[in-house]
Amino acid sequence: MENNNEIREVNLMSTLIDAVIIAKSKSKIIFIVFGVVFGLGFTYLFLKSPVYKTEMIVSSSEVTSERLAIIIEPLEKLVEEKNYTELSKFLRIDSITAAKIKTIEAKEIKDETKMNQSSSYSSEDLRQQNCLVSIQVKSNPLLFDTIQLGILHYLRNNDFVKRKSVLDMNNLMRMKARINREIRDLDTLKRTIATQKGGYMYMDPSSINNTIAELYQSELNIDMQMKLEDDGINIIRDFVRFKQPVAPKANIILIICFLVSIVISFVWISFDVSYHEKIADSK
């Protein structure tokens, strides 16, 4: 058994020595192959436009995050079919900038704690839902800002979002006006009670103050909703301009070049050795 192991080890060493000898004798072929393959690899990295990726998070007080993703879906298809003329119309950007967009994707960011809630959402519930929009752009990460404005324009000018945003804003304004009238009426009543010595003994001024305070709080809540309305679409996080491209990946390209060089060198040397062996046999 030990003899068999020793024989195997000797054969393995002999094979490795032969391989090293052949490699040394064919070093010119190896240098040519590695030079050509790595030259092509570096040329590809130099000529290939870098691709940059970024993401933003948006929410809407008018539609769910799932429907936001559905609204953005046509943009994804336009990019896939390279229909940059139509894409530029939707985003209100020039066709040259549109042609730099490699991908547009949108997906709902699900909150597991709210998955079983009712499908009847208030505007505040909708604001708490987020949609992740990611894009990839060729050559220039400075285009992220322009494309972000284009996507927001597209979302805010969606017919349903636009009409519902206007309707909600009008309702909030009417509600605020009504609260202001009620506060003025209660202030008038409170002053009247203070000036009258009789006839209002059953009315408690402190309860009127409490009611006025509640109405003021309601007015503050309405003001906050109006400020957060932002034409129905809110940006939770802007696109960030990252400097590091996501493609092409230089390390992966170089690893592929190394492996391809080894394979080609092995095949070339094998053919070369067999060719010379045939010539020697023929002589």
Side-chain angles (χ1 to χ4, degrees):
M1 191 71 177
E2 291 180 0
N3 291 334
N4 291 336
N5 290 335
E6 289 177 1
I7 292 171
R8 275 202 222 69
E9 290 177 3
V10 170
N11 290 335
L12 179 61
M13 288 297 296
S14 177
T15 303
L16 290 175
I17 291 171
D18 291 340
V20 170
I21 292 172
I22 293 172
K24 284 184 177 180
S25 64
K26 304 296 181 182
S27 58
K28 185 176 181 180
I29 293 175
I30 295 173
F31 283 130
I32 291 173
V33 170
F34 270 76
V36 171
V37 173
F38 273 86
L40 292 173
F42 283 114
T43 302
Y44 173 81
L45 289 173
F46 179 76
L47 296 178
K48 183 70 174 177
S49 298
V51 176
Y52 301 89
K53 180 179 180 180
T54 190
E55 298 171 336
M56 74 172 174
I57 299 175
V58 296
S59 70
S60 174
S61 58
E62 313 304 339
V63 295
T64 63
S65 55
E66 181 183 9
R67 289 178 180 173
L68 274 180
I70 293 172
I71 293 172
I72 294 175
E73 187 177 345
L75 300 181
E76 301 177 30
K77 294 182 178 178
L78 287 173
V79 173
E80 288 175 2
E81 65 181 27
K82 302 186 187 308
N83 190 348
Y84 301 124
T85 302
E86 194 70 16
L87 182 65
S88 63
K89 291 179 182 177
F90 278 118
L91 299 182
R92 288 281 183 89
I93 60 177
D94 59 89
S95 56
I96 296 175
T97 301
K100 296 291 185 182
I101 302 174
K102 187 174 176 63
T103 62
I104 296 178
E105 296 177 348
K107 65 178 180 178
E108 176 187 11
I109 302 177
K110 293 185 178 180
D111 187 343
E112 300 293 336
T113 62
K114 299 179 181 180
M115 288 186 66
N116 297 323
Q117 283 187 346
S118 169
S119 59
S120 177
Y121 296 101
S122 67
S123 60
E124 190 57 37
D125 290 332
L126 290 172
R127 282 193 189 93
Q128 295 172 13
Q129 295 188 19
N130 296 322
C131 180
L132 181 70
V133 181
S134 61
I135 64 169
Q136 291 186 13
V137 173
K138 293 178 284 187
S139 302
N140 190 359
L142 297 177
L143 297 175
F144 288 153
D145 296 339
T146 302
I147 297 169
Q148 176 177 296
L149 292 175
I151 293 173
L152 290 177
H153 168 81
Y154 170 75
L155 291 173
R156 286 170 177 162
N157 282 273
N158 173 270
D159 185 59
F160 177 80
V161 172
K162 193 173 184 179
R163 286 189 292 112
K164 195 167 186 303
S165 176
V166 172
L167 182 63
D168 286 350
M169 183 61 72
N170 290 337
N171 288 339
L172 289 172
M173 291 174 66
R174 283 195 293 269
M175 191 179 299
K176 181 178 179 179
R178 180 174 179 178
I179 288 174
N180 285 331
R181 286 196 302 271
E182 290 182 1
I183 291 173
R184 286 197 301 270
D185 291 343
L186 287 172
D187 280 333
T188 301
L189 178 60
K190 188 173 67 172
R191 287 194 297 270
T192 302
I193 292 173
T195 57
Q196 295 292 329
K197 294 182 178 180
Y200 293 95
M201 63 177 61
Y202 297 108
M203 302 189 86
D204 183 7
S206 63
S207 66
I208 296 177
N209 289 333
N210 290 337
T211 303
I212 291 174
E214 291 174 0
L215 290 172
Y216 270 125
Q217 185 60 51
S218 298
E219 185 180 16
L220 289 175
N221 292 336
I222 291 173
D223 283 337
M224 183 181 68
Q225 290 185 45
M226 292 174 70
K227 289 176 181 178
L228 291 175
E229 186 64 24
D230 206 6
D231 294 330
I233 302 294
N234 294 93
I235 303 177
I236 307 301
R237 190 184 75 193
D238 292 290
F239 281 146
V240 180
R241 289 185 289 187
F242 297 108
K243 293 182 178 179
Q244 188 66 32
V246 295
K249 295 185 180 295
N251 54 347
I252 294 177
I253 298 297
L254 295 178
I255 290 172
I256 292 173
C257 288
F258 179 76
L259 296 175
V260 170
S261 298
I262 291 176
V263 171
I264 294 176
S265 297
F266 176 78
V267 173
W268 191 347
I269 291 172
S270 298
F271 276 110
D272 188 70
V273 169
S274 62
Y275 172 75
H276 284 89
E277 287 177 351
K278 286 180 181 179
I279 292 175
D281 292 340
S282 64
K283 292 180 178 180

